[in-house]
Amino acid sequence: MPATPVLASFRRIVVKVGSALLVDRDKGRLRRAWLAALAEDIGELTTKGAEVIVVSSGAIALGRTVLGLAKGALRLEESQACAAVGQIALAGVWAEALAHEGITAGQVLLTLGDTEQRRRYLNARATLAKLLELGAVPVVNENDTVATAEIRYGDNDRLAARVATMAGADCLILLSDVDGLYEASPRERPDAKLIDIVERLTPRIEKMAGSPTSEYARGGMRTKIEAARIATGAGMHMVIANGYHTKPLKRIAERGPCTWFLTTSTPRAARKTFIAGTLEPKGVLVIDAGAVRALESGKSLLAAGVKRIEGEFARGDAVLIRGPGGREVGRGLVGYDAEDARRILGRSTEEILSILGAGARAEVIHRDDLALAAL
Ligand code: GLU
């Protein structure tokens, strides 16, 4: 059996908080003391040097109390209206709770396209990276007011896994209302055993999550297993733990009951594999010998080193990179549309600023978005 991961060893952690933890189910009121303790937990992680991203539900739950729609199922427009009202409150309470720990919060609202379309993916990724660099904790939710049935995640478990992938996190924590994954539904079989570690997502594990219609699955284990598939595939470990305890992150650190899903990869390696293998290149960048050497020493690809551009592509698309002799040097996600890339080809960083204006980036492909071919 592999060892349980040590929480303090992770550098970038995404913590997903479900509505039921934040908002009292009966009264629809915020669970303030619990949130304050969780913020303290987060503060302890950041003090130890980890970067933390929060994915928080609760907008709809908070909004329905305010709008007097507390009872019964909501229609789509009603839940959107509730989210519009509740999200303001949600962002406010997070900002306040984190500020108490000396942490600045930044609200990030995403829709499906922000993680699924490559151009927007790069934009959202850059914003999250900048917030973390500036020492802020991003507090993410789905932009429920504009997300309609076809373009929504619908659940924050998968949203959290996508955000964690996008941010290159090495750990995803799903705070839930159960201790973790059980061999059988604990509601049907009170003696069911909690699984400590899942090394691989097998059909047997999926079965334990229950069928989509079972009572247990509605508790959300199904979407949590899907989140585990996304997270472990993207090179991070994931843990499901019971959030109802005061300071649930401390409880995970102290090896309280929970279920870990392990990855065999790292975020960096998984991203390189994804760039190298799964994406169809839309164009070719031919670069000079100096740029080849720069890439091979771990640098980004600058416009100055690009000699020629072939094909039509958009920012975020995969492109092939060829050296002077035509040899494939690698592949990467390009930071510019083909049209802009052609305008800045061979230019220095200052020239790029005067051609494309402020906000232009020097890198045509950032080193994090590069996968070099084996030499
Ligand atoms: N985005 C929704 C909200 O904030 C919740 C979705 C979920 O809980 O999975 O209310």
Side-chain angles (χ1 to χ4, degrees):
M1 190 60 123
T4 313
V6 176
L7 195 59
S9 69
F10 296 111
R11 310 315 313 151
R12 192 169 279 185
I13 304 171
V14 174
V15 182
K16 184 258 169 178
V17 179
S19 302
L21 296 174
L22 265 174
V23 186
D24 178 274
R25 228 186 273 260
D26 303 325
K27 301 200 187 74
R29 264 194 241 123
L30 182 75
R31 299 179 65 228
R32 233 171 246 286
W34 177 85
L35 176 61
L38 177 64
E40 236 177 83
D41 245 357
I42 292 172
E44 277 154 32
L45 286 180
T46 56
T47 308
K48 287 189 191 123
E51 293 171 324
V52 176
I53 297 175
V54 171
V55 173
S56 177
S57 308
I60 297 172
L62 283 172
R64 55 193 297 176
T65 317
V66 180
L67 290 173
L69 292 169
K71 298 239 153 53
L74 296 175
R75 286 201 303 273
L76 180 64
E77 317 82 76
E78 285 172 333
S79 47
Q80 289 179 315
C82 290
V85 169
Q87 183 61 38
I88 297 182
L90 186 64
V93 296
W94 271 108
E96 198 183 303
L98 290 171
H100 197 259
E101 304 306 313
I103 299 170
T104 303
Q107 176 188 242
V108 178
L109 297 179
L110 297 173
T111 48
L112 196 61
D114 296 316
T115 59
E116 309 304 298
Q117 287 170 16
R118 287 200 281 280
R119 166 192 290 266
R120 281 160 64 186
Y121 179 96
L122 284 191
N123 296 344
R125 183 178 152 86
T127 308
L128 288 175
K130 187 49 81 179
L131 280 168
L132 293 172
E133 189 192 311
L134 294 170
V137 166
V139 178
V140 184
N141 195 2
E142 180 161 18
N143 195 350
D144 292 308
T145 51
V146 294
T148 56
E150 322 77 69
I151 57 147
R152 67 192 314 238
Y153 300 94
D155 68 87
N156 276 9
D157 292 326
R158 276 177 305 170
L159 170 67
R162 294 278 182 219
V163 166
T165 303
M166 194 157 77
D170 51 4
C171 179
L172 169 62
I173 300 175
L174 300 183
L175 294 180
S176 160
D177 57 356
V178 288
D179 282 345
L181 180 68
Y182 286 85
E183 281 179 346
S185 162
R187 280 173 206 148
E188 284 156 28
R189 294 218 344 240
D191 62 337
K193 255 181 63 198
L194 180 73
I195 301 169
D196 300 323
I197 293 188
V198 175
E199 281 181 75
R200 229 158 30 88
L201 284 169
T202 56
R204 203 175 136 248
I205 296 291
E206 307 225 339
K207 223 170 129 228
M208 289 173 192
S211 71
T213 53
S214 78
E215 183 61 31
Y216 185 40
R218 252 184 281 143
M221 203 42 78
R222 203 73 196 176
T223 56
K224 288 182 177 53
I225 297 294
E226 271 179 58
R229 185 177 301 289
I230 298 168
T232 55
M236 80 195 81
H237 296 313
M238 185 186 106
V239 59
I240 302 175
N242 197 330
Y244 272 115
H245 299 270
T246 309
K247 302 195 101 185
L249 304 181
K250 184 157 174 270
R251 194 161 179 259
I252 297 172
E254 289 171 352
R255 297 173 183 267
C258 59
T259 304
W260 281 96
F261 294 78
L262 304 186
T263 183
T264 50
S265 186
T266 62
R268 210 177 151 74
R271 187 163 164 81
K272 301 257 167 200
T273 311
F274 165 71
I275 292 168
T278 27
L279 300 168
E280 179 75 24
K282 293 276 169 53
V284 180
L285 306 183
V286 181
I287 65 174
D288 63 22
V292 174
R293 277 195 300 277
L295 297 195
E296 285 170 353
S297 70
K299 303 226 167 67
S300 297
L301 176 63
L302 302 181
V306 181
K307 306 299 279 179
R308 206 173 66 242
I309 289 166
E310 294 165 14
E312 288 312 315
F313 46 82
R315 169 166 154 79
D317 277 340
V319 291
L320 270 179
I321 306 159
R322 292 196 187 281
R327 170 174 79 89
E328 180 175 334
V329 180
R331 293 170 185 223
L333 303 184
V334 67
Y336 284 103
D337 293 348
E339 197 187 323
D340 281 346
R342 287 195 172 94
R343 290 172 65 197
I344 58 170
L345 171 127
R347 303 302 184 118
S348 70
T349 306
E350 280 114 73
E351 287 173 316
I352 296 172
L353 283 178
S354 72
I355 299 169
L356 295 179
R361 291 159 297 264
E363 307 99 17
V364 174
I365 301 180
H366 191 274
R367 62 197 169 98
D368 290 347
D369 300 327
L370 272 168
L372 295 189
L375 295 179

